[in-house]
Amino acid sequence: MDERSTGLHSIGDAMGRHAQDIDALWDVMLWVCGFMYLLVVGFLLLALFRRGPRRDINDHTQAHEERGLSASLATWTGLIALGLFGLTLFSYFTDRSLVQAAADAQIAIKITGHQWWWEIEYTDPNDPSRQLRTANELHLPVGTPVKISLESRDVIHSFWVPSLHGKQDLIPGRDNDIEILADKEGVYRGICAEFCGLQHSKMHLDVVVESKDGYSAWYERQLQAASPPSDPLAERGHGVFMATACNMCHTISGTDAGGSTGPDLTHVASRRFIAAGALQNHRDNMRAWLANPQAIKPGNHMPIVSLSADQLDALTAYLGTLQ
Ligand code: CUA
């Protein structure tokens, strides 16, 4: 079973403060516009099917009917103005509420969009040694306001986790940000919501919202450097990683690999998916990805590195140790 299908991905399942505001606004708009629509259609049908008998019209009945028409026109105009005013007011207060919720962010995160993956950096202005770099899986503590600054390295992408907030674009050369406050623990699906090239549809992001303790434990684990492999196969895989092109693009902290073109792999085995949500993270998928990433995500920037079956086995085993 695709585990992703359990990840919530709907503006109707609001799991965060901002998403609830947006959901409430959507409900009000739906009800007001739905009511107006039914009225219009109702009167239209009434006009279509009402065929009164021909009457002799004298001055008196004409004047009477015109008064009736003016009155109903005024009522109708008033109703529309009231509806629009109500929607504007509600929309304004929703906007205010979204801004206020952002005021006291406790965690600062930077997300950079790449074709076609998400680079995630947890920044700590007071202690640079606690900065953290990961990819495609955002972890957040429940009930904590978080500020995410959004940048792009190449083209315009859009960060969208419908269960937590609306969309925000990542635009090259421009600083954008978004605030999130997740109310319930769970795994929520995020996607890129702006067409950004061939693999736009395979640019997913998991948002794992966990208890504050769970989040702290995750953070401390992620801060640690990769432990050297202990079994011979993984050790050979480590050698393959360092001897081929892998280390030019990827970082594994605690080793000589320090590339920054591709995702940081220090704890790649701890993530639920690889290739920005394209594949579930298990041995067979990892091996298939390493053997030919272009077959799984054509056009992506990971080159095919020619490896023997033995080298592939070893490399897969090594990456599997990076918990
Ligand atoms: Cu990135 Cu669409």
Side-chain angles (χ1 to χ4, degrees):
M1 192 192 85
D2 184 356
E3 252 187 274
R4 183 169 295 282
S5 62
T6 61
L8 286 170
H9 176 88
S10 164
I11 61 163
D13 286 317
M15 297 294 170
R17 161 80 191 274
H18 306 80
Q20 278 153 14
D21 287 345
I22 293 168
D23 193 26
L25 179 62
W26 156 249
D27 285 346
V28 168
M29 289 214 164
L30 179 71
W31 285 110
V32 170
C33 296
F35 175 70
M36 292 297 213
Y37 176 76
L38 288 179
L39 273 185
V40 169
V41 170
F43 280 117
L44 190 69
L45 290 176
L46 197 70
L48 277 177
F49 294 108
R50 195 180 67 167
R51 284 219 188 87
R54 279 187 72 88
R55 292 164 300 167
D56 290 332
I57 295 174
N58 59 36
D59 283 354
H60 179 71
T61 53
Q62 195 173 359
H64 180 73
E65 280 185 4
E66 269 176 16
R67 267 203 308 280
L69 198 62
S70 304
S72 46
L73 208 61
T75 311
W76 188 234
T77 311
L79 205 61
I80 290 174
L82 197 71
L84 287 177
F85 181 69
L87 287 183
T88 309
L89 210 63
F90 204 88
S91 161
Y92 171 79
F93 283 116
T94 301
D95 202 47
R96 296 315 305 156
S97 171
L98 290 179
V99 171
Q100 275 161 17
D104 51 354
Q106 292 166 22
I107 295 177
I109 297 171
K110 183 172 121 187
I111 293 187
T112 307
H114 296 259
Q115 283 176 316
W116 290 276
W117 60 282
W118 306 91
E119 179 180 358
I120 303 169
E121 287 164 279
Y122 292 75
T123 53
D124 189 335
N126 304 319
D127 186 356
S129 72
R130 293 189 57 79
Q131 308 215 131
L132 188 66
R133 194 163 162 266
T134 179
N136 303 326
E137 195 175 286
L138 179 64
H139 284 244
L140 301 174
V142 71
T144 308
V146 174
K147 179 170 176 166
I148 301 174
S149 44
L150 299 167
E151 290 173 21
S152 171
R153 195 61 59 82
D154 35 49
V155 299
I156 300 176
H157 305 271
S158 181
F159 176 86
W160 190 32
V161 187
S163 299
L164 298 178
H165 205 322
K167 298 171 187 174
Q168 184 63 277
D169 282 357
L170 300 85
I171 302 171
R174 190 194 149 106
D175 294 331
N176 265 358
D177 52 58
I178 192 168
E179 291 79 19
I180 281 179
L181 202 177
D183 287 331
K184 290 200 182 76
E185 290 174 34
V187 181
Y188 307 113
R189 188 167 81 138
I191 58 170
C192 176
E194 178 83 33
F195 180 72
C196 55
L198 202 56
Q199 292 300 336
H200 156 69
S201 65
K202 285 184 181 157
M203 188 167 166
H204 296 297
L205 168 92
D206 270 343
V207 182
V208 181
V209 177
E210 48 200 342
S211 67
K212 288 181 182 167
D213 289 347
Y215 169 78
S216 300
W218 172 84
Y219 201 95
E220 295 308 320
R221 257 197 330 277
Q222 298 283 315
L223 277 177
Q224 287 164 16
S227 24
S230 49
D231 80 287
L233 186 64
E235 211 169 306
R236 268 212 321 281
H238 175 263
V240 173
F241 194 96
M242 297 307 155
T244 57
C246 309
N247 70 81
M248 311 279 282
C249 295
H250 298 281
T251 292
I252 297 177
S253 69
T255 74
D256 292 338
S260 60
T261 314
D264 188 303
L265 299 178
T266 309
H267 296 283
V268 65
S270 73
R271 296 178 207 146
R272 303 166 75 240
F273 287 83
I274 54 172
L279 295 172
Q280 269 190 278
N281 191 1
H282 58 67
R283 201 191 55 193
D284 293 348
N285 280 346
M286 180 61 93
R287 192 180 190 282
W289 171 254
L290 296 171
N292 189 351
Q294 295 301 323
I296 291 157
K297 240 173 129 168
N300 86 78
H301 299 306
M302 174 149 155
I304 302 174
V305 179
S306 167
L307 298 169
S308 69
D310 285 351
Q311 285 177 314
L312 273 175
D313 287 339
L315 190 56
T316 306
Y318 172 54
L319 295 178
T321 66
L322 299 176
Q323 278 293 336

